[in-house]
Amino acid sequence: MGRLFGTDGARGVAITELTCELAMEIGRAAALVLTKKADHKAKILIGKDTRISSDVLEAALCAGICSVGADAEILGVVPTPAVAYLVKERNADAGVMISASHNSVEFNGIKLFSSTGYKLSDEIEEEIERLILDNPEEIELKSHTEIGRITYSDTAADDYIEHVKNSISTDLSGLRIALDCANGSSSATARKLFEELGADVKLISAEPDGTNINKNCGSTHMENLMAFVVENSCDCGLAFDGDADRCLAVDEKGELIDGDKLIAICAKAYKEQGRLKNNAAVVTVMTNLGYRHFAAENNIDTITAAVGDRYVLEKMLDGGYNIGGEQSGHIIFLDDATTGDGQLSGVKVLEILKNSGKKMSELADIMYKFPQVMINVRITPKDKEMWKNDSAITDLIEAHEKTLGDSGRILVRESGTEPLIRVMIEGKDFAQINTMAIEIADKIKERSGR
């Protein structure tokens, strides 16, 4: 990870960590780096989620972009994948999404997209970082008539909805579905999208007020949707996160269907239709062991990437694969999108459900999910990478790995978006792996003095 950008853009507590000044500097540097080859007046699209801080950061970004001579087109509240799609569709030079995704309201973030609609490579982000942190004197401000203009789009959400609708050919009429919009970006698009595809739609958490994004709702808090689906006799429930690039599902019995199972459902359907490119799906090191067993049983190759949808995408592009994603619900359908798209994922799954004639619980029975324990340990900046060089921690991890053998695995890693060390253990015996995870987490806390 870089000094400003993590695995999914720049992120921090809005205004105090991700400051207005930093947002303006990112706007300036990104405009210069991403448009330096343009032989015309550069244009950058800006979308945002529903956080109270998004308007403030939008203003700062626009000031930065226009101060170096590029134009800024404001898209309003839209999902992150809408920005990725519209950058390419509208022949813009770059795109910016203001969002902290699944994080709580005090956080915000800045995600950058190139003119092709893809997230930036580490190298390009590092070039932007160097310009801000090491060589700010190279940023040339414009004046007089050379400064950029700010314009506003009133069709961004509708254009994105049409794009997702065109990704399937199935009428979803007859399906009664519940949608949890996390009081975020999908609140602006979900009802119209799924109703125009024919579904009977019930919405929850679709009344954003600037302060309630992801608050006990959305893909990180599935309890309300699980209960709502059963109480309202829905065929399926879909939950998005704050910027709608994630999707998790709930079957008609109220049981959770995570990203691993959704990828399995889609990969199997694509294989049966002859559409699974190079007979493989890309997953991450966090993907449940059950998925790997499913893939082997169905003669589907498994390609493994580091955690983060940008790394999944890199593997997909390198190998020519068209389905990939994460357990958290970031799923990329590369034939239709350049980034993870929660609503596109939901549409694809519902198409498979409708065409199968099965219940959602039957589709979800596609793989056995190994018990998995995840414990997050909060750290301070000085503790980053600490655990890797502490023998008291690494020896404990190694001892537990020997105990598990081939029947489980341990993964300890730092979050790319939050100040956390994640301890994940999988195995057949939940009590055993739970005890192991607690011991490792407690040892990390002890050694870091927390």
Side-chain angles (χ1 to χ4, degrees), residues 419-430:
L420 301 171
I421 295 176
R422 304 192 192 279
V423 179
M424 188 278 285
I425 307 185
E426 286 178 339
K428 295 180 179 179
D429 185 335
F430 176 81

Side-chain angles (χ1 to χ4, degrees), residues 198-383:
D200 177 8
V201 174
K202 305 292 181 184
L203 290 187
I204 64 172
S205 301
E207 297 181 359
D209 64 7
T211 67
N212 59 0
I213 188 170
N214 297 318
K215 187 174 182 180
N216 299 318
C217 59
S219 63
T220 52
H221 301 278
M222 297 291 291
E223 300 81 9
N224 290 341
L225 181 62
M226 293 163 77
F228 186 90
V229 166
V230 175
E231 291 166 2
N232 290 271
S233 301
C234 296
D235 298 299
C236 176
L238 302 174
F240 312 112
D241 64 337
D243 66 337
D245 64 354
R246 296 187 184 192
C247 175
L248 297 182
V250 174
D251 70 20
E252 78 283 358
K253 299 176 182 178
E255 296 295 321
L256 173 66
I257 305 172
D258 68 9
D260 291 343
K261 286 194 172 184
L262 294 178
I263 294 168
I265 290 168
C266 294
K268 188 171 187 292
Y270 269 45
K271 182 179 175 71
E272 291 171 348
Q273 298 162 13
R275 299 168 59 198
L276 187 64
K277 291 182 178 176
N278 291 324
N279 193 50
V282 179
V283 295
T284 77
V285 294
M286 293 294 289
T287 295
N288 192 274
L289 279 172
Y291 175 85
R292 299 174 191 279
H293 285 277
F294 147 81
E297 291 165 1
N298 287 273
N299 296 313
I300 295 172
D301 294 331
T302 297
I303 310 300
T304 303
V307 174
D309 63 334
R310 63 191 299 169
Y311 303 117
V312 172
L313 177 63
E314 285 178 5
K315 290 280 188 181
M316 294 176 72
L317 291 171
D318 288 344
Y321 311 114
N322 59 345
I323 293 180
E326 301 182 276
Q327 188 180 80
S328 61
H330 276 130
I331 304 175
I332 302 172
F333 291 88
L334 202 51
D335 293 336
D336 304 284
T338 56
T339 190
D341 187 334
Q343 290 172 102
L344 176 65
S345 300
V347 164
K348 294 286 189 180
V349 170
L350 291 179
E351 179 179 42
I352 294 167
L353 176 64
K354 176 70 181 293
N355 291 336
S356 73
K358 297 179 178 179
K359 294 183 180 297
M360 195 68 210
S361 59
E362 294 176 279
L363 284 186
D365 198 34
I366 196 169
M367 60 168 266
Y368 168 76
K369 186 176 179 182
F370 276 61
Q372 186 180 83
V373 175
M374 170 83 80
I375 298 179
N376 293 323
V377 182
R378 190 161 292 277
I379 58 173
T380 60
K382 70 179 179 64
D383 296 321

Side-chain angles (χ1 to χ4, degrees), residues 137-190:
E137 71 280 358
E138 294 181 8
I139 297 176
E140 179 186 351
L141 300 182
K142 301 297 184 181
S143 65
H144 296 78
T145 59
E146 292 185 346
I147 62 174
R149 296 179 183 272
I150 299 173
T151 57
Y152 299 84
S153 171
D154 57 4
T155 64
D158 287 341
D159 290 349
Y160 165 73
I161 287 170
E162 286 301 312
H163 160 64
V164 178
K165 282 169 58 181
N166 291 333
S167 70
I168 66 169
S169 57
T170 301
D171 182 351
L172 300 181
S173 59
L175 290 180
R176 182 181 178 89
I177 62 170
L179 304 176
D180 183 338
C181 296
N183 292 312
S185 292
S186 61
S187 302
T189 55

